[in-house]
Amino acid sequence: MQLYLTGFLEKNTAAFMRDLWSLLISAQGNEHGIPVEFLEKKKEELRRKREEQAAEGPATLITSGADRRRTSGQEGRGREKNRGREREMAR
């Protein structure tokens, strides 16, 4: 694989392959197949974002996906569709 990438990455091929193998081994050890480095980086990013938003004020805190669905009115749509089917079946 390194030979095929050499024409594209030139002198950076060895470093790229070293990093790639490290990430692949890390992903193989994780039950979800995601490298631990990626998970830690994302956690740190979310922590920084929360800190920034907390400094701005409590009204701008990150809401969970369930909270966003509730406030946007999307959560009840599935039940409304089923109610229509139930009505049709009752007839």
Side-chain angles (χ1 to χ4, degrees):
M1 182 177 202
Q2 186 171 349
L3 292 173
Y4 292 117
L5 291 173
T6 302
F8 178 70
L9 297 174
E10 298 175 354
K11 65 180 180 176
N12 300 319
T13 306
F16 173 80
M17 291 303 298
R18 184 179 50 250
D19 294 343
L20 176 63
W21 278 112
S22 173
L23 291 171
L24 290 171
I25 291 169
S26 177
Q28 187 177 10
N30 186 326
E31 71 178 69
H32 298 291
I34 301 170
V36 175
E37 293 87 348
F38 288 176
L39 296 173
E40 293 301 321
K41 185 177 179 181
K42 188 64 175 180
K43 284 179 189 177
E44 179 63 25
E45 180 183 316
L46 291 173
R47 186 190 61 75
R48 272 189 267 117
K49 198 178 270 190
R50 284 190 189 116
E51 287 176 357
E52 289 173 6
Q53 289 180 345
E56 292 174 5
T60 59
L61 289 176
I62 298 173
T63 58
S64 69
D67 291 339
R68 276 185 253 134
R69 282 191 299 273
R70 266 189 245 124
T71 58
S72 66
Q74 293 178 356
E75 190 172 22
R77 289 183 182 176
R79 286 182 286 177
E80 291 172 7
K81 288 180 183 177
N82 289 336
R83 286 184 186 152
R85 290 184 189 142
E86 290 172 2
R87 288 179 190 149
E88 289 176 10
M89 294 175 82
R91 291 181 189 175

